[in-house]
Amino acid sequence: MALEFGRTHVVRPKGKHQATIVWLHGLGDKGSSWSQLLETLPLPNIKWICPTAPTRPVALFGGFPCTAWFDVGDISEESPDDLEGLDAAASHVANLLSTEPADIKLGIGGFSMGAAAAIYSASCRVLGQYGNGNLYPINLRAVVGLSGWLPCSRSLRNRITVSHEAARRAASLPMLLCHGSGDDVVAYKHGEKSAQTLSSAGFRNLTFKTYNGLGHYTIPEEMDVVCNWLTVILELDGLRLVDR
């Protein structure tokens, strides 16, 4: 069954366009929820693309349909991965980024299930292919995951360590993962374990930040860290009004 993605919301850069980031919402949400927040951030050089996931039956809700990047039954390392759904989400993101100008730095970020899809895209970039073996075409320069987890974690380390090219890409891809210790939807231990698995798989340029007492939502303090990290990693002009 071909799934139809919802509406895509775009936040255009207020200054010189230097980077484009696709941002993926959480389960049951839509792109406009995040575009409204991202528009307020002091990042004038970033174009944000906020797509909306397809509406599909979700096992976690007993088959009740809602917007979801992939099907999920249980948020844990033991639950089976919806590889087809994950590939479809990663491919949709790649298509959105594929039309950006050659000199624009490309990134992906997300919250909750959107973070999981973003991290999956990062693994596709490192391995050079989707889960189905098709070539992954995008050179990601930054990955942000808030309150998320790593899908397909069981096989990732083995697949990276057998390829010099994958190991090189993993070591050089900057990734920022943040998680609240009070998260009652995606348990903190899953976020922490995901970061540990990624690190041991060779993602050496990974930052994991813990927010004590934070539940399954974001706060200004966390978004400030995201802004500062993106400005440094993507070498953005920031709030300077004139180029040097």
Side-chain angles (χ1 to χ4, degrees):
M1 180 180 69
L3 293 167
E4 194 173 323
F5 288 85
R7 188 176 168 196
T8 296
H9 299 261
V10 177
V11 178
R12 308 217 168 266
K14 298 176 180 72
K16 179 187 175 187
H17 183 198
Q18 294 178 302
T20 297
I21 297 177
V22 173
W23 190 273
L24 305 176
H25 62 74
L27 182 63
D29 204 355
K30 55 186 186 293
S32 59
S33 299
W34 279 94
S35 66
Q36 290 166 16
L37 170 63
L38 296 169
E39 194 166 19
T40 67
L41 300 181
L43 292 169
N45 309 111
I46 293 182
K47 171 185 174 183
W48 299 95
I49 302 176
C50 304
T52 299
T55 297
R56 69 171 83 218
V58 176
L60 186 66
F61 298 147
F64 186 83
C66 68
T67 53
W69 298 111
F70 52 93
D71 190 21
V72 61
D74 178 34
I75 300 170
S76 74
E77 287 205 329
E78 286 68 49
S79 66
D81 292 296
D82 173 20
L83 205 57
E84 196 176 338
L86 285 160
D87 274 351
S91 178
H92 187 63
V93 170
N95 287 340
L96 291 171
L97 290 171
S98 65
T99 55
E100 292 300 296
D103 61 333
I104 299 300
K105 296 164 185 172
L106 307 177
I108 178 171
F111 173 78
S112 190
M113 173 181 266
I119 296 167
Y120 180 75
S121 286
S123 68
C124 292
R125 159 60 188 157
V126 162
L127 295 166
Q129 60 184 36
Y130 296 100
N132 62 16
N134 291 344
L135 184 74
Y136 185 80
I138 302 298
N139 177 19
L140 293 175
R141 300 284 292 272
V143 179
V144 179
L146 309 182
S147 310
W149 71 95
L150 166 67
C152 307
S153 61
R154 291 182 294 273
S155 62
L156 184 63
R157 185 176 179 179
N158 293 340
R159 295 182 69 197
I160 290 177
T161 51
V162 297
S163 163
H164 289 301
E165 182 63 17
R168 184 187 65 77
R169 287 178 184 162
S172 63
L173 179 58
M175 189 180 291
L176 172 66
L177 303 180
C178 304
H179 218 106
S181 65
D183 197 324
D184 57 354
V185 178
V186 180
Y188 174 78
K189 65 178 181 182
H190 293 319
E192 185 180 42
K193 181 76 188 300
S194 294
Q196 291 168 348
T197 301
L198 287 161
S199 292
S200 67
F203 284 81
R204 293 187 201 136
N205 201 348
L206 184 151
T207 301
F208 181 71
K209 291 195 73 70
T210 301
Y211 290 84
N212 288 326
L214 180 67
H216 197 64
Y217 50 89
T218 186
I219 50 173
E221 179 190 355
E222 184 180 44
M223 295 313 295
D224 287 347
V225 168
V226 171
C227 289
N228 292 334
W229 185 84
L230 286 171
T231 299
V232 171
I233 292 298
L234 297 175
E235 299 174 324
L236 303 177
D237 289 345
L239 291 170
R240 283 187 290 119
L241 296 176
V242 292
D243 289 333
R244 273 185 289 197

